[in-house]
Amino acid sequence: MDMLKGDVIDNFERSDSIVYISDDKMTATLDLVKPRDGSPYTVKQLILLLNSNGVKQGINQQILQQMIDNQLYYTATTVAQGKVPKDGQDGRYQYFFQVGKSSTPKVLPDGTVDYLNMDLFESVTVGQVVAEYIPATNGEYGYTVVGDLMTPKKGANLPPLRGSGFTVSEDKKQYISILNGKVELKDDGKLEISNIYNIAGNLDISIGNVRFDGDVYVSGNVSAGLSIMAKGNVVIDGTVESVNIRSGGDVILRKGMMGGGEGQIEAEGSVTGRFFEAVTIKAKGSVRGDYFLNCKITTEDILEVTGVKGVILGGSVRALKLIKAQTLGNSAELPTIVETGVTDQYMKRYNEMGQMLAKVDSEVSILERNAAMFETAAARAKKVRVDDPTYLKIKQVLQLKNDEKDRLHKQRKEMSDAIAMKGNSKVRISGTVFPGVKVIIDSEILNIADKVKNVEFVLREGNVTPLVKFS
C-alpha cells in the first residue's frame, strides 16, 4: 500500500488523517482523526485532502458526508473507487429462425410418438428478416483513483454473411429473404434460403411428412402413409407408394405411383408419371403417363396416355378437353369409364361460382362504402392518414376480398371458355377399345359392346359416335 500523510487544510491541522492508495491504484481509503479544535470536517476539506494526496478520480462524496455525519474517526473507509475498463463485445448475428432443427420426434399427449411430422427445417416468406447483425462495441474506458485512463479492448467485427436467397438492408445489418422457401445455416456458416427442398435418397418415416412453400425434390422412393404438401412443384425420381401429394405447381414422378386405392395427387398444374395404379388424381393442367390402372382421374385439360402400353384399364378418368390413349379396357372386359367435355356437375359448379362471385362483389361494395366514410371524416378533420383501428381492419379485409374476387373471376373465365367449347371434346384411341368400356362426352354415354380399333369418339347430334377412324 502507498501511505500518504495528510496536510493542513483551511487552517485545520489534520496531520494525523491518513489516505491509503492501493497498489493497483483502484481504491483509496481515508482514516480520519477527530478534529483537535472540535470543528466538523466539510466534504470540500476532505476532497482537498484526498486531492493533495493524489486521489483525483472516483471520489464518493456521499460516503464522505456519511463519515462527517456519523463522526467516523480512526476507521479506514474506502472513499474512492476506480473503474475497471469494460472490454467491447465481439460482433454477432441474431437469427430469427431455429438454427439446427432437431430431428427428434414429438411425443403426443396420448404417449405415442409422431414420426411423420418432425420439423426438419424452417420455412420463411418473402420480406421476412431472417438474421440481424449486432456490431462489435468499443467497450468502456476505465480509470484509477489517481486519474490514469485505462483503455478497453475493442470487440472484433464479423464478416458479412455469405449465402443466397436473401438481400441485405442499406445499413448492412438486416438479412431479408427474397424467396418463399426454407432457411438454414450451413455448417460452413453460409445462410441459405431456397425454394427447393432437396431430399437425398428415400422419403420415409425417418423424415416424415413434408410441408414446404417452394418446390420439393426427392431423389429416391416415397414410402406409404406419408404426405407431401408443396406450394411449388413436386418431383420424385423413385417409386411412390400410397402417398398424399398436393402441389401448387406440377407433379412429376419419374417412375410412377402404386396407390393401393389410397394414393392421392392434387395439382394446380400438370401431373406426369410412367404409371399410376389405384391412384386418385385431380389436376388443373394435363395428366400424362404410360398406363393407368384402376385410377380415378379428373383434369381440366387433357389426359394423354403414351408409351408401349398406353392403356387405361379400370376405374374412371375424366378430361375436360381431350383423352388420348392406345388402349381402353382389356379382353376381360374390366369396366372402364372415360369421360370428356362439360358435365352437368361442371355446369353446376360454374353456376355456384357465379353466386359466390355475386356475394363477394356485394361484400366488397359494403367494405368500400365503410372505408370511404372513414376517409371522408379524416379529410374533414384535415388528417393526412387514417389511423383508426376499425378502418385499418376494413382495409385489410377489403384487400382479401378483392383478391378472392380476382381469383373467382379468373376461374369463372376459364370455365366459361371451356363451356364455349362444349361439343368439341374428343376421345382418341390409336389402338383397341374393348367391350366393357363406357365413353361419355358432355354427359352423353356410349357403352362399347364390340371391340373397335383406331377410333375417335366425338359428339354428333347429341350422340357419342365413333365418327373418325385413322391409321
Side-chain angles (χ1 to χ4, degrees):
M1 292 279 204
D2 291 336
M3 182 182 295
L4 300 176
K5 195 173 183 180
D7 203 347
V8 177
I9 303 202
D10 289 348
N11 297 322
F12 290 96
E13 185 176 346
R14 313 291 190 234
S15 59
D16 294 331
S17 295
I18 299 175
V19 175
Y20 296 91
I21 298 176
S22 63
D23 291 339
D24 62 3
K25 301 180 181 180
M26 293 303 291
T27 59
T29 59
L30 175 59
D31 189 349
L32 283 178
V33 298
K34 186 176 182 179
R36 295 175 183 176
D37 57 6
S39 61
Y41 291 103
T42 67
V43 171
K44 181 179 179 181
Q45 287 177 331
L46 298 185
I47 291 175
L48 290 173
L49 174 62
L50 291 169
N51 289 165
S52 66
N53 284 277
V55 181
K56 308 293 184 183
Q57 288 279 90
I59 298 172
N60 191 321
Q61 296 187 38
Q62 184 177 359
I63 292 178
L64 295 178
Q65 187 64 57
Q66 290 174 356
M67 293 179 70
I68 295 169
D69 294 343
N70 298 327
Q71 298 183 14
L72 189 61
Y73 306 128
Y74 311 112
T75 302
T77 303
T78 300
V79 294
Q81 186 76 49
K83 179 183 177 182
V84 176
K86 183 178 179 181
D87 290 341
Q89 292 185 339
D90 291 339
R92 61 187 176 87
Y93 284 98
Q94 181 179 2
Y95 297 99
F96 300 104
F97 61 93
Q98 186 175 334
V99 177
K101 276 280 191 178
S102 173
S103 59
T104 303
K106 299 176 182 178
V107 179
L108 301 177
D110 62 1
T112 60
V113 179
D114 184 3
Y115 289 97
L116 301 182
N117 297 297
M118 295 184 293
D119 295 327
L120 300 182
F121 63 88
E122 190 161 341
S123 296
V124 293
T125 57
V126 173
Q128 182 176 335
V129 176
V130 296
E132 183 172 1
Y133 182 61
I134 311 299
T137 59
N138 292 326
E140 298 177 10
Y141 282 88
Y143 51 81
T144 66
V145 294
V146 299
D148 295 332
L149 191 64
M150 304 176 73
T151 305
K153 178 183 177 182
K154 292 184 178 180
N157 273 308
L158 295 175
L161 286 175
R162 298 173 298 124
S164 61
F166 57 84
T167 186
V168 185
S169 61
E170 290 186 8
D171 61 6
K172 308 299 182 185
K173 292 181 180 179
Q174 291 188 326
Y175 292 75
I176 305 161
S177 175
I178 59 174
L179 298 173
N180 291 325
K182 69 168 183 174
V183 59
E184 57 183 338
L185 189 66
K186 299 286 190 179
D187 292 340
D188 60 3
K190 284 186 178 180
L191 177 65
E192 297 288 352
I193 301 174
S194 65
N195 60 359
I196 299 178
Y197 179 31
N198 286 298
I199 300 171
N202 298 331
L203 173 58
D204 52 29
I205 197 171
S206 66
I207 296 176
N209 296 330
V210 173
R211 288 171 176 81
F212 189 56
D213 283 345
D215 297 339
V216 173
Y217 170 65
V218 183
S219 65
N221 304 323
V222 183
S223 299
L226 299 177
S227 66
I228 299 174
M229 310 295 177
K231 289 189 177 179
N233 303 316
V234 175
V235 180
I236 302 172
D237 285 348
T239 301
V240 182
E241 296 180 355
S242 54
V243 174
N244 186 4
I245 300 174
R246 291 185 183 178
S247 167
D250 298 334
V251 174
I252 300 173
L253 309 184
R254 308 284 190 197
K255 291 185 178 179
M257 184 171 186
M258 297 180 292
E262 297 182 354
Q264 298 182 24
I265 299 175
E266 187 171 343
E268 291 294 310
S270 62
V271 176
T272 305
R274 286 177 57 190
F275 65 86
F276 296 89
E277 296 181 3
V279 180
T280 298
I281 300 174
K282 290 179 64 176
K284 288 190 175 179
S286 61
V287 176
R288 291 181 167 86
D290 285 0
Y291 76 89
F292 295 84
L293 174 63
N294 290 325
C295 291
K296 183 178 181 180
I297 300 172
T298 302
T299 168
E300 296 182 16
D301 195 18
I302 69 171
L303 171 64
E304 185 171 9
V305 192
T306 57
V308 176
K309 293 184 178 180
V311 63
I312 300 173
L313 178 59
S316 63
V317 300
R318 195 187 83 78
L320 186 63
K321 299 177 181 179
L322 171 68
I323 294 176
K324 292 175 63 177
Q326 180 171 323
T327 305
L328 291 183
N330 64 359
S331 57
E333 300 186 9
L334 182 68
T336 304
I337 301 173
V338 293
E339 182 177 5
T340 187
V342 178
T343 63
D344 294 338
Q345 290 81 4
Y346 192 84
M347 290 299 302
K348 181 180 178 182
R349 187 154 61 93
Y350 175 76
N351 292 330
E352 288 174 347
M353 192 168 291
Q355 294 171 4
M356 293 169 57
L357 189 54
K359 181 175 180 292
V360 173
D361 268 330
S362 175
E363 292 170 343
V364 167
S365 296
I366 293 171
L367 290 167
E368 287 176 340
R369 287 198 300 270
N370 290 337
M373 290 172 59
F374 281 95
E375 291 163 0
T376 300
R380 288 173 181 169
K382 297 182 179 179
K383 291 183 178 179
V384 177
R385 52 184 292 181
V386 184
D387 293 324
D388 187 282
T390 303
Y391 170 79
L392 298 176
K393 183 65 177 178
I394 289 172
K395 293 293 285 185
Q396 181 183 12
V397 176
L398 181 58
Q399 180 62 53
L400 293 174
K401 288 296 179 181
N402 274 320
D403 291 344
E404 183 181 0
K405 180 179 174 181
D406 291 341
R407 178 178 58 81
L408 288 172
H409 267 301
K410 181 181 178 182
Q411 291 180 354
R412 199 160 191 267
K413 175 63 167 58
E414 292 173 351
M415 295 183 75
S416 178
D417 292 342
I419 291 170
M421 295 178 61
K422 185 177 173 70
N424 295 321
S425 301
K426 299 177 177 64
V427 176
R428 184 178 298 159
I429 307 301
S430 59
T432 304
V433 182
F434 289 93
V437 171
K438 182 182 294 185
V439 179
I440 305 173
I441 301 178
D442 290 346
S443 297
E444 299 298 327
I445 302 172
L446 174 64
N447 291 302
I448 305 301
D450 299 309
K451 183 165 60 174
V452 292
K453 293 186 176 182
N454 304 328
V455 63
E456 183 174 76
F457 296 95
V458 297
L459 192 66
R460 287 292 182 268
E461 298 179 357
N463 296 312
V464 178
T465 307
L467 185 64
V468 179
K469 291 189 176 182
F470 53 93
S471 57

